[in-house]
Every structure is written in structure tokens, then in C-alpha cells.
Amino acid sequence: MKLKTLCATLALGLAGFGAQAAIITSTLNGVTILGNTYNVTFHQDDDGFTTFNDVFGLGGPLLPFTAANGLAATQDLLAAVNAANFDTTPGFSDATSQGFQLIVDFTAVERTWFTGWRDTPGNNFSGAFGSFDGGRNDNNSLSIATFERVRDNNVPLPGSLALAGFALLALGAAQRRRA
């Protein structure tokens, strides 16, 4: 009987050893960044230490921002996060690490990012910083932001409608003149 118990304990221990922590997400909708509107999702490992590969595996996100405009994009996102008092670290609620990474480049082995630190009491930093380079598997207590661009409704403005109406009238007049 003791051997069965020992084997069951070992099996449970080995099964737990390979288990990964879950990725927790939270989304802030309708954020204007560099003149475009995005729904921004913050991804974080539930143990509080997130790697790029935890979130994306061997792939990576679509990158709407570059090293050239990454700091300005981080500042815009940080302003929206602070205004909404939005928690960007859904998997880890340590008051000293309230922030996110905005990825601007990645390869098979590393990534480049900017950081935005929320303006919260007890936070280690406050503001937008970067750029930084690091490995895809480096642990970080900040979440990783991804972006889904919100498409505008293509509703014509009254001036556009008037212009289209004048064009149709001109076409009609030209057609009558030929006939």
C-alpha cells in the first residue's frame, strides 16, 4: 500500500512540475494613440513574472509602433491608463510594479520595448521610459500590451455628400447637353 501511495505522490508531483502559470488579460477599449484608436489588452502571467514567450510562444504580435515612435505611443497609452485608473497588471497586484511593456521589435531570441509605469502610490517609477532590449525568456513583473486597431465607421460627412451631389448634377447636365 505504501508503494502505491508513493507512486501516486510522485505522479502528481511530476504532473505539477511541468504545469505553466496562466496568462491573465485585461482590456482597455477606445484608447487614442498617435491619432489612431485601439483596444489595448494587457497580458500577464498569474505568478507575476511574464516573459515574451509566455504570451506569444515562438511567434510575436503585430507591431503598430516602432522604435522611432514607441516612446510617444507609450506616453499616449500611459496617459489613458492613468486617466481611467486602469490596472495594467491583471495577474499581479504588487503596488510597486504597476506598468506595462510596449513591444516595438522582436527576433527569435530577443525583444525591444518601452515601459509605461502608472502614477500610483508606492510604484517604483512613474512615467514612460525606454527603449530596452532583452531576451524573449527574461522575466518581467510588468504586463505586455497588444493592440487591436478600431476601425472608424465610414459615415460620409455632410460636405462629402454635397460634393457628391454636385458631381451627379454636373454629370446629369453634361448628359443633357450631349442629347
Side-chain angles (χ1 to χ4, degrees):
M1 192 65 163
K2 286 186 179 184
L3 184 57
K4 271 188 174 177
T5 305
L6 178 62
C7 288
T9 304
L10 279 173
L12 284 173
L14 289 174
F17 181 74
Q20 288 187 326
I23 298 295
I24 310 296
T25 63
S26 60
T27 302
L28 181 59
N29 294 316
V31 179
T32 301
I33 303 172
L34 302 180
N36 295 306
T37 304
Y38 297 90
N39 294 333
V40 183
T41 301
F42 300 93
H43 306 260
Q44 190 175 40
D45 207 317
D46 67 353
D47 68 3
F49 295 100
T50 308
T51 72
F52 185 88
N53 284 354
D54 285 343
V55 177
F56 303 109
L58 297 178
L62 294 175
L63 300 174
F65 310 110
T66 65
N69 66 9
L71 184 59
T74 301
Q75 290 167 335
D76 282 358
L77 178 54
L78 187 58
V81 162
N82 283 329
N85 195 26
F86 191 81
D87 183 3
T88 60
T89 51
F92 188 59
S93 295
D94 181 1
T96 64
S97 297
Q98 291 287 318
F100 59 87
Q101 302 171 58
L102 186 142
I103 307 296
V104 294
D105 194 18
F106 63 90
T107 67
V109 293
E110 67 181 11
R111 73 202 192 289
T112 303
W113 73 96
F114 289 83
T115 61
W117 290 81
R118 288 188 55 214
D119 186 16
T120 57
N123 211 356
N124 286 331
F125 303 98
S126 178
F129 304 94
S131 72
F132 302 99
D133 295 313
R136 289 175 65 110
N137 280 318
D138 292 348
N139 281 326
N140 198 311
S141 61
L142 304 179
S143 65
I144 296 175
T146 59
F147 303 86
E148 175 191 1
R149 184 148 178 217
V150 177
R151 302 291 175 201
D152 296 330
N153 292 338
N154 291 325
V155 178
L157 297 173
S160 300
L161 289 175
L163 185 59
F166 280 125
L168 287 174
L169 282 173
L171 282 174
Q175 198 69 308
R176 284 184 88 182
R177 188 176 282 179
R178 275 192 229 161

